[in-house]
């Protein structure tokens, strides 16, 4: 508490207080063209340090001297406004002219450089911070869905705070396709959340750094979609960049913002299950038995989840020093019993200027801590959902809510399930366990601490030249553990030793930490000659250093049962696995960019960069590095030609770019491995000694921007094509090659597409406004070249994703129906479909992504909503396959009601099958992980109500309160259409090879909430 008081006292010292006789001035700021309120503007007495900021509704209150005064109002993106007030004016309204009206809009680009929007030769799209907090999500990146064109976002099915997979303009690489994340111009290192590969699962999504960010700290996000936009970041920006600009202190009196939100989450879009056909036999796992009426255990299993997100922010300062401090906490109880997520985060940012505005400093420190208990996991092994859904109909589920019994033979509690009881010699199968045993006796816990510290110094050399030194530290600590109690089924349990040691449980623990250091030195200039030529340039050098280490232990033999301690190792066979990893990689760079404008009509943009990557050591690129560049031109057509009066602004742009990417760490100098005291000599290396080289992407983009009818309609459209060559591959070497695992560069992947963003001010009245926007994305991906060494297909993880020549990223290669020459499926004499070798069955990438956003205001009321849809693409549901094959799905029951499955078929001798196929014969062949996966393929088209918020500005007149509002929110409320049996946006893993795959994952949730915001 003493520290808090000291902090507040310091704040009071740096914020000036007005003295003498004063009067209170109240006012509001609005946009001249739209009448929309303008928050975040600085209002101060001209030639003084006395000032304040406008709230979210554009309101402000300022103590001013008696008599006439002069005000100066400033806001990024708007022309400065000056107003002289008489002694009688105490309540005023000021209308500000947007620089967009004068074509002067400023946006944040690569390296945090601010540029005029009309000078850009590539596509960007900005989302303001308030769009991220209307309907809050723990991971603010989820709130970009439907609001930005060219972006595909898939979420992990691991519940609250799970990681996201973001792809800009299609998949390009078989390793990492996520963009670079940049905070206030400096890059951070995001973690790969990963998750489960395959039907069995086991790996838990660890979340990502993005979920640790406080959405209330974000002022805006600018998405740099193409290579031209992010070329200055080099190989880090090969997949585009997401520029996050955070809030900072503003000149004026202390401002306090409070935000509190609550949401209730319900399991939504559950599988359709049947409860009218019973268990096949008393010992069978399946439910192909006689008709009856059986209880539904699913309806009462899921909880109503609750999420509280609270945030406090303080900001203020003088014209020399500005501070911003925030604290936020998130507390969530998931829909899965026992699952909890807790997070605390704090941010402090300080901005100062010295020596008559010659030296500027901007520094920030962000800290967050997460504690997650029982983060949901997919797959048969560690998901409680398998046992819940597959539970044989007719058995008493309530009997097993008490999930354990006391074993007299072991003298402790063991698992109790309808087919698992050690004392009764019931061993069960790998398909299911007691869901409550999984939740309570195979728990996981994860702790994550993350620090992002940044410092930037800028010194003004002349009125057009400055030099900057910047650096960032991103430090992360992770601790994850899983405790598997004795009595857990099968391969998951502890390992016994005959006559010496029973199953005493198993302990998995994983500790890791990483340190990312980035620093750069920039020389920046902005020179104008005779109002004819404008030159903006940047030259600099940077270094990026990433170090990580970790320890993974698997204690499968414990000396004392269910004591999960490192000291409880069974000495004679201490560990199943013990691995320690240490990694370091570094990139050093030189770069330069220049933007030359002629009379603000034509702009030429050039960038060049050379990287030296440590991962390319021992190759010809080690010393000379790899070079790439970009070039673009934009033309403001309405400045060159006289266009019709309804065209406010018209710009055409064209850009070319080449960016590079390095290879995996230690692949050019492979190392030996040491695991559990066993040294494994290196058996990997470049294929036939051919040196590895960087991956190179070349792209071209043609775009058009237009504003019509005094900015009532805004259009941005882009056509692009990208070819990515020499991707890095690892595969098992052919017989006769020295190395069993070989690395090589191969491939040519082409992405081409169209993206468009349309904004319309549909209604613009004094008290009523309606703004609507559409975002459209269509990308086509094709693999033009693939090394013959890789064979016909190259697997991408364990979820049937493959690369194949002539195919596309996202192709599924899996077992198919065996068919005759006419394409009719072949069945045996019992009506069981026959399986054919694996082949192409579909692709998980949507053909088009569309988002529709709306913001409506009427006086003090506001309504906003987003509807988005994905059209085309396929998904695989292993879950649905199992439900069908076990006879517990509604689909299998409906087929029984009809007398069979209505599919044309022929027998193995070629004669047509007469009548319907027997339901059990059909589904038992198609379903489960070893079945005909083609029969578990579904169309992924879906359209949903993404989010909605209804807000009201509270008419509170209490002294000190500048503004207060309350809003009702909803997220993921319903599908207008969904062709898949689950939410196809969810994935068991965020890895590049695991998209479009479901295996007993947590269902999606529907959320209802209440938000309260108060500003003092």
């Amino acid at each position: 508490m003493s520290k808090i008081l000291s902090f507040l006292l310091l704040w009071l010292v740096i914020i000036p207080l007005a003295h003498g006789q004063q009067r209170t001035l109240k006012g509001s700021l609005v946009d001249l063209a739209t009448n929309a309120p303008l928050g975040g503007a600085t209002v101060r007495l001209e030639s003084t340090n006395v000032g304040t900021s406008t709230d979210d509704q554009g309101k402000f209150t300022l103590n001013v001297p008696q008599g006439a005064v002069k005000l100066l109002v400033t806001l990024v993106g708007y022309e400065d406004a000056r107003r002289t007030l008489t002694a009688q004016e105490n309540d005023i309204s000021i209308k500000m002219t947007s620089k967009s009206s004068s074509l002067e809009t400023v946006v944040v680009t690569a390296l945090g450089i601010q540029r005029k929007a009309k000078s850009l030769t590539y596509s960007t799209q900005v989302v303001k911070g308030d769009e991220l907090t209307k309907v809050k999500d723990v991971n603010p990146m989820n709130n970009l869905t439907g609001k930005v064109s060219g972006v595909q976002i898939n979420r992990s099915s691991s519940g609250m705070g799970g990681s996201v997979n973001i792809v800009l303009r299609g998949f390009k690489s078989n390793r990492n396709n996520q963009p670079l994340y940049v905070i206030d111009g400096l890059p951070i290192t995001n973690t790969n959340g990963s998750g489960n590969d395959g039907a069995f699962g086991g790996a838990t999504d660890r979340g990502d750094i993005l979920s640790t960010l406080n959405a209330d700290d974000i002022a805006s996000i600018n998405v740099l979609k193409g290579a031209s936009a992010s070329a200055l970041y080099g190989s880090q920006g090969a997949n585009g960049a997401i520029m996050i600009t955070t809030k900072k202190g503003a000149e004026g009196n202390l401002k306090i913002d409070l935000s509190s939100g609550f949401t209730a989450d319900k399991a939504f879009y559950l599988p359709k299950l049947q409860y009218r056909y019973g268990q096949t036999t008393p010992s069978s796992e399946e439910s192909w038995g006689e008709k009856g009426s059986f209880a539904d255990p699913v309806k009462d299993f899921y909880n109503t989840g609750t999420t509280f997100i609270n945030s406090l922010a303080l900001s203020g300062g003088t014209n020399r020093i500005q501070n911003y401090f925030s604290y936020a906490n998130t507390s969530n109880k998931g829909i899965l019993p026992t699952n909890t997520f807790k997070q605390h985060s704090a941010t402090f940012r300080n901005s100062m200027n010295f020596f008559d505005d010659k030296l500027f400093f901007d520094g920030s420190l962000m800290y967050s801590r997460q504690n997650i208990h029982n983060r949901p996991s997919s797959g048969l092994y560690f998901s409680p959902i398998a046992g819940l859904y597959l539970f044989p109909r007719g058995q008493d589920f309530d009997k097993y809510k008490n999930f354990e019994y006391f074993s007299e033979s072991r003298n402790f509690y063991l698992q109790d399930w309808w087919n698992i009881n050690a004392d009764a010699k019931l061993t069960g199968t790998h398909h299911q366990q007691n869901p409550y045993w999984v939740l309570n006796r195979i728990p996981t816990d994860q702790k994550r601490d993350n620090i992002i510290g940044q410092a930037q110094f800028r010194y003004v050399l002349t009125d057009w030249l400055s030099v900057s030194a910047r650096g960032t530290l991103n430090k992360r600590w992770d601790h994850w553990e899983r405790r598997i109690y004795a009595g857990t089924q099968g391969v998951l349990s502890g390992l016994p030793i005959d006559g010496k040691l029973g199953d005493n449980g198993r302990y998995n623990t994983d500790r890791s930490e990483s340190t990312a250091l980035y620093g750069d030195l920039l020389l920046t200039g902005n020179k104008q000659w005779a109002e004819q030529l404008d030159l903006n340039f940047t030259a600099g050098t940077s270094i990026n250093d990433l170090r990580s280490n970790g320890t993974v232990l698997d204690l499968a033999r414990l000396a004392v049962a269910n004591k999960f301690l490192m000291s409880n190792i069974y000495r004679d066979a201490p560990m199943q696995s013990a691995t320690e990893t240490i990694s370091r990689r570094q990139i050093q760079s030189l770069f330069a960019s220049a933007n030359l404008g002629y009379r603000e009509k034509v702009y030429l943009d050039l960038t060049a960069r050379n990287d030296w990557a440590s991962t390319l050591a021992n190759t010809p690129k080690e010393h000379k590095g790899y070079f790439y560049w970009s070039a673009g031109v934009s033309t403001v057509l309405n400045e060159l030609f006289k266009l019709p009066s309804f065209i406010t602004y018209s710009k055409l742009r064209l850009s070319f770019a080449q960016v590079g990417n390095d290879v995996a760490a230690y692949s050019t100098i492979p190392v030996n491995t040491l695991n559990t005291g066993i040294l494994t000599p290196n058996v990997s290396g470049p294929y036939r000694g051919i040196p590895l080289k960087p991956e190179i992407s070349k792209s071209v983009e043609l775009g058009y921007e237009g504003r019509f009818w005094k900015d009532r309609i805004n259009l941005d459209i882009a056509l692009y094509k990208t070819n990515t060559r020499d991707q890095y591959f690892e595969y098992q070497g052919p017989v006769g090659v020295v190395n069993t695992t070989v690395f090589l560069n191969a491939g040519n992947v082409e992405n081409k597409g169209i993206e468009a963003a349309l904004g319309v001010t549909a209604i613009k009245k004094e008290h009523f406004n309606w703004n609507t926007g559409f975002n459209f994305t269509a990308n086509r991906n094709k693999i033009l070249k693939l090394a013959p060494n890789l064979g016909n297909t190259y697997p991408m993880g364990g979820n049937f994703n493959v690369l194949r020549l002539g195919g596309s990223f996202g192709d599924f290669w899996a077992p198919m129906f065996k068919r005759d020459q006419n394409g009719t499926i072949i069945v045996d004499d019992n009506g069981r479909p026959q399986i054919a070798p694996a082949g192409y069955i579909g692709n998980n990438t949507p053909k088009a992504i569309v988002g529709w956003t709306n913001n409506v205001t009427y006086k003090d009321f506001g309504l906003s909503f987003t509807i988005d849809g994905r059209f085309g693409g396929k998904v695989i549901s292993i879950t649905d396959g199992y439900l069908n094959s076990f006879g517990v799905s509604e689909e299998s029951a409906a087929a029984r009601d009809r007398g069979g499955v209505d599919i044309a078929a022929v027998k193995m001798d070629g004669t047509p099958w007469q009548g319907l196929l027997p339901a059990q014969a059909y589904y038992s062949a198609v379903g489960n992980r070893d079945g005909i996966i083609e029969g578990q393929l579904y169309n992924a088209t879906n359209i949903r109500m993404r989010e909605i918020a209804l807000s009201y500005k509270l008419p509170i007149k209490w002294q000190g309160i500048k503004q207060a509002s309350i809003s009702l929110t909803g997220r993921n409320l319903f599908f207008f259409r969904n062709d898949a049996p689950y939410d196809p946006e969810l994935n068991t893993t965020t890895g590049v090879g695991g998209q479009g795959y479901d295996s007993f994952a947590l269902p999606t949730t529907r959320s209802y909430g209440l938000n309260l915001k108060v500003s003092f």
Side-chain angles (χ1 to χ4, degrees):
M1 180 61 71
S2 61
K3 291 183 178 180
I4 295 175
L5 291 175
S6 299
F7 176 75
L8 292 175
L9 287 173
L10 175 61
W11 214 302
L12 292 174
V13 170
I14 68 171
I15 297 177
L17 298 175
H19 299 280
Q21 292 186 353
Q22 295 182 326
R23 59 192 172 99
T24 300
L25 174 67
K26 295 183 178 180
S28 61
L29 262 63
V30 296
D31 185 287
L32 176 64
T34 65
N35 284 322
L38 299 177
T42 298
V43 182
R44 65 183 175 90
L45 293 177
E46 195 167 7
S47 303
T48 73
N49 295 330
V50 178
T52 186
S53 301
T54 59
D55 60 26
D56 292 341
Q57 297 298 316
K59 305 291 186 181
F60 71 91
T61 302
L62 181 65
N63 292 326
V64 301
Q66 297 289 347
V69 293
K70 292 183 178 181
L71 293 184
L72 172 63
V73 185
T74 59
L75 178 62
V76 175
Y78 285 81
E79 303 285 356
D80 292 351
R82 286 175 169 82
R83 181 83 173 264
T84 301
L85 306 179
T86 66
Q88 289 73 38
E89 290 182 283
N90 295 316
D91 196 342
I92 63 172
S93 177
I94 300 175
K95 295 186 177 182
M96 300 190 69
T97 302
S98 171
K99 288 184 177 180
S100 64
S101 300
S102 57
L103 310 180
E104 296 293 338
T105 302
V106 175
V107 295
V108 178
T109 63
L111 299 177
I113 300 170
Q114 290 191 347
R115 294 266 301 277
K116 293 179 181 179
K118 67 179 180 181
S119 71
L120 302 182
T121 62
Y122 45 77
S123 176
T124 72
Q125 198 165 347
V126 178
V127 177
K128 295 182 178 180
D130 59 1
E131 292 294 322
L132 306 175
T133 57
K134 287 180 179 179
V135 185
K136 286 188 176 181
D137 190 281
V138 172
N139 195 323
M141 295 302 108
N142 285 322
N143 285 344
L144 294 178
T145 303
K147 298 171 183 174
V148 181
S149 63
V151 178
Q152 179 180 342
I153 300 178
N154 288 331
R155 296 180 292 132
S156 166
S157 56
S158 58
M160 191 63 62
S163 57
V164 298
N165 181 286
I166 300 180
V167 178
L168 307 180
R169 294 184 173 178
F171 288 89
K172 307 173 185 68
S173 175
N174 63 312
R175 290 186 295 147
N176 178 33
N177 289 272
Q178 295 226 43
L180 173 69
Y181 297 93
V182 181
I183 297 179
D184 297 325
L186 296 169
I188 63 170
T189 300
N190 188 36
T191 56
N192 184 2
S194 193
N196 297 305
D197 282 338
F200 289 108
T204 302
D205 173 53
R206 307 298 177 86
D208 54 26
I209 297 302
L210 303 174
S211 64
T212 68
L213 301 179
N214 177 13
D216 285 301
D217 286 343
I218 298 175
S220 66
I221 291 179
N222 189 17
V223 182
L224 308 183
K225 304 172 189 177
S228 296
S230 58
L232 273 180
Y233 282 115
S235 56
Q236 293 176 282
N239 300 315
I242 292 182
M243 311 288 296
I244 301 171
T245 300
T246 64
K247 296 177 181 177
K248 59 191 302 185
E251 181 181 337
N253 295 327
L254 176 65
K255 179 184 178 184
I256 302 174
D257 292 306
L258 292 173
S259 174
S260 182
F262 165 78
T263 58
D265 311 309
K266 296 285 290 183
F268 169 52
Y269 213 76
L270 295 168
K272 296 178 180 179
L273 303 175
Q274 68 87 13
Y275 299 98
R276 60 182 181 277
Y277 287 95
Q279 188 176 13
T280 309
T281 64
S283 61
S284 173
E285 287 187 288
E286 300 177 353
S287 297
W288 292 98
E290 298 298 323
K291 266 195 171 184
S293 179
F294 308 108
D296 176 4
V298 177
K299 65 179 181 179
D300 296 325
F301 180 80
Y302 292 109
N303 291 332
T304 296
T306 58
T307 305
F308 293 88
I309 302 178
N310 302 296
S311 178
L312 166 68
L314 298 87
S315 64
T318 69
N319 63 337
R320 295 292 183 189
I321 303 175
Q322 302 89 41
N323 288 323
Y324 176 88
F325 170 79
S326 74
Y327 165 76
N329 67 68
T330 299
S331 179
N332 166 259
K333 291 183 178 180
I335 62 170
L336 196 66
T338 73
N339 169 228
T340 60
F341 175 95
K342 295 181 180 180
Q343 176 170 283
H344 298 270
S345 62
T347 297
F348 177 71
R349 185 172 181 180
N350 172 255
S351 304
M352 297 184 288
N353 59 79
F354 310 92
F355 310 129
D356 296 326
D357 294 341
K358 289 288 187 180
L359 177 64
F360 295 85
F361 167 79
D362 189 12
S364 64
L365 183 65
M366 304 179 186
Y367 170 75
S368 66
R369 159 163 280 199
Q370 291 181 345
N371 286 277
I372 306 107
H373 179 67
N374 268 355
R375 171 169 265 161
S377 178
S378 301
L380 289 164
Y381 280 163
F382 292 107
S383 171
I385 298 173
L388 176 68
Y389 291 170
L390 299 178
F391 186 68
R393 305 314 189 237
Q395 291 275 356
D396 183 6
F397 186 81
D398 290 340
K399 174 183 176 182
Y400 301 104
K401 288 183 177 180
N402 185 7
F403 51 86
E404 57 190 4
Y405 72 95
F406 186 79
S407 171
E408 298 289 348
S409 62
R410 295 300 307 273
N411 201 34
F412 53 77
Y413 286 90
L414 296 176
Q415 180 176 184
D416 189 24
W417 190 229
W418 72 273
N419 66 346
I420 300 176
N421 187 299
D423 292 336
K425 307 302 180 182
L426 297 175
T427 59
T429 71
H430 65 261
H431 290 130
Q432 56 176 291
Q433 299 191 76
N434 188 318
Y436 295 102
W437 175 270
V438 176
L439 293 173
N440 293 278
R441 294 295 179 256
I442 318 180
T444 64
D445 283 282
Q446 180 183 351
K447 295 180 181 179
R448 166 170 289 174
D449 293 274
N450 187 63
I451 291 177
I452 301 174
Q454 298 183 342
Q456 306 183 41
F457 290 91
R458 181 171 65 90
Y459 186 78
V460 178
L461 299 173
T462 69
D463 60 352
W464 61 273
L465 190 64
S466 64
V467 61
S468 303
R470 314 182 307 171
T472 184
L473 164 69
N474 188 185
K475 183 80 174 179
R476 174 184 56 86
W477 297 267
D478 272 323
H479 178 209
W480 177 89
E481 65 178 23
R482 173 179 274 138
R483 301 177 298 280
I484 304 175
Y485 281 68
T488 299
Q489 185 274 331
V491 296
L492 310 183
S493 63
L495 299 179
I497 299 177
D498 290 342
K500 295 184 178 181
L501 185 74
D503 165 22
N504 281 341
R506 190 171 191 167
Y507 182 40
N508 301 141
T509 180
D510 181 345
R511 294 178 182 268
S512 64
E513 68 176 74
S514 69
T515 303
L517 295 168
Y518 174 87
D520 62 30
L521 183 65
L522 306 177
L523 181 67
T524 305
N526 187 344
K527 185 69 173 176
Q528 186 178 52
W529 287 277
E531 299 184 358
Q532 299 288 319
L533 295 175
D534 286 299
L535 175 63
N536 293 273
F537 69 87
T538 301
T541 181
S542 68
I543 184 170
N544 189 23
D545 188 277
L546 177 61
R547 308 180 190 199
S548 63
N549 62 79
T551 303
V552 180
L553 302 177
D554 182 0
L555 279 63
R557 297 181 179 91
L558 302 179
V560 179
N562 300 333
K563 298 298 180 183
F564 304 101
L565 303 168
M566 296 298 299
S567 56
N568 192 28
I569 300 173
Y570 185 70
R571 292 176 55 187
D572 294 346
M575 292 188 186
Q576 182 74 1
S577 177
T579 305
E580 185 173 2
T581 59
I582 300 175
S583 178
R584 183 183 181 187
R585 62 194 306 165
Q586 186 178 102
I587 297 178
Q588 301 173 7
S589 309
L590 288 173
F591 51 83
S593 71
N595 182 269
L596 182 64
Y598 174 69
R599 288 190 168 186
E600 298 193 350
K601 299 178 180 180
V602 179
Y603 292 89
L604 176 65
D605 197 39
L606 301 171
T607 71
R609 179 168 174 137
N610 203 84
D611 281 352
W612 291 265
S614 64
T615 58
L616 289 169
N618 200 34
T619 73
K621 297 292 184 179
E622 177 179 4
H623 297 294
K624 66 180 182 179
Y626 48 104
F627 175 80
Y628 34 89
W629 55 272
S630 71
V633 62
S634 65
T635 303
V636 183
L637 300 177
N638 57 293
E639 295 285 351
L640 288 176
F641 311 104
K642 184 173 178 58
L643 300 177
S645 60
F646 71 89
I647 301 178
T648 310
Y649 174 59
S650 185
K651 187 181 90 171
L652 192 65
R653 61 178 189 263
L654 177 66
S655 63
F656 301 86
Q658 174 178 296
V659 295
N661 201 355
D662 60 350
V663 297
Y666 305 110
S667 56
T668 62
I669 308 178
V671 296
N672 300 326
T673 59
L674 187 63
N675 185 358
T676 324
I678 299 175
L679 178 67
T680 302
N682 169 59
V683 290
S684 61
Y687 177 69
R688 297 191 184 277
I690 301 173
L692 293 174
K693 53 188 175 181
E695 175 183 294
I696 296 294
S697 290
K698 295 182 179 181
S699 67
V700 58
E701 176 185 330
L702 175 65
Y704 173 78
E705 297 172 44
R707 301 172 190 165
F708 311 96
W709 288 284
K710 296 181 180 181
D711 292 351
R712 293 287 295 268
I713 297 177
N714 301 296
L715 174 66
D716 190 326
I717 188 168
L719 302 171
Y720 62 86
K721 184 172 82 75
T722 301
N723 287 86
T724 305
R725 295 176 172 84
D726 294 326
Q727 283 92 345
Y728 170 83
F729 288 94
E730 297 181 8
Y731 73 106
Q732 295 301 305
V735 177
V737 176
V738 175
N739 298 312
T740 57
T741 300
V742 296
F743 316 129
L744 84 161
N745 295 103
N748 179 0
V749 177
E750 181 179 85
N751 281 279
K752 56 185 178 181
I754 180 173
E755 59 193 26
L758 175 66
V760 179
T761 302
I763 299 175
K764 184 176 66 174
K765 301 291 184 181
E766 182 177 358
H767 297 297
F768 183 49
N769 291 277
W770 175 24
N771 295 300
T772 186
F774 298 88
N775 292 288
F776 174 81
T777 302
N779 182 82
R780 298 294 180 265
N781 177 282
K782 190 171 184 179
I783 300 172
L784 303 179
K785 184 179 179 181
L786 195 64
N789 317 68
L790 301 177
N792 293 327
T793 60
Y794 179 82
M796 302 274 290
N799 296 337
F800 305 110
N801 276 254
V802 301
L803 296 180
R804 62 192 183 96
L805 186 63
S808 303
F809 266 90
D811 281 354
F812 287 129
W813 194 266
M816 306 173 67
F817 287 104
K818 190 174 183 179
R819 303 174 185 271
D820 65 9
Q821 64 273 17
N822 298 318
T824 307
I825 67 170
I826 298 175
V827 299
D828 63 14
D829 290 341
N830 296 316
R832 183 183 179 88
Q834 301 299 289
I835 191 169
Y840 172 74
I841 60 173
N843 184 283
N844 61 54
T845 305
K847 300 297 184 183
I849 302 175
V850 179
W852 181 31
T853 61
N854 293 269
N855 288 282
V856 181
T857 59
Y858 175 70
K859 293 185 177 180
D860 292 332
F861 290 91
L863 173 66
S864 64
F865 63 91
T866 299
I867 297 174
D868 65 275
R870 303 186 185 195
F871 302 89
K874 302 290 184 180
V875 292
I876 293 173
S877 178
I878 295 295
T879 305
D880 211 55
Y882 265 100
L883 300 181
N884 287 334
S885 66
F886 274 53
V888 296
S889 68
E890 174 57 29
E891 180 181 341
S892 66
R896 276 173 276 185
D897 292 342
R898 294 190 302 267
V901 180
D902 187 11
I903 294 179
V906 296
K907 295 182 179 180
M908 299 176 68
D909 61 6
T911 59
W913 177 273
Q914 299 298 321
L916 304 177
L917 295 175
Q920 185 173 2
Y922 176 82
Y923 286 116
S924 63
V926 172
N928 75 59
R929 65 185 180 88
D930 297 320
I932 302 172
I933 303 301
E934 183 185 359
Q936 303 173 44
L937 190 73
Y938 300 89
N939 186 11
T941 294
N942 66 93
I943 307 170
R944 77 182 76 203
M945 175 60 77
R946 172 69 56 180
E947 63 180 44
I948 187 169
L950 177 64
S951 63
Y952 175 62
K953 179 186 174 185
L954 299 173
I956 296 177
K957 302 297 183 181
W958 299 341
Q959 187 174 4
I961 296 182
K962 296 179 180 179
Q963 181 258 337
S965 65
I966 191 169
S967 59
L968 299 174
T969 65
R971 186 172 184 84
N972 217 36
L973 293 182
F974 55 85
F975 286 103
F976 294 96
R977 173 184 173 182
N978 186 13
D979 294 344
Y982 72 103
D983 184 351
E985 186 177 277
L986 298 180
N987 287 276
T988 58
T989 172
T990 55
V992 63
Q995 305 303 294
Y997 183 87
D998 163 57
S999 177
F1000 291 100
L1002 190 73
T1004 192
T1005 57
R1006 173 191 288 131
S1007 303
Y1008 302 94
L1010 181 69
N1011 285 340
L1012 175 66
K1013 293 183 179 181
V1014 183
S1015 295
F1016 300 89

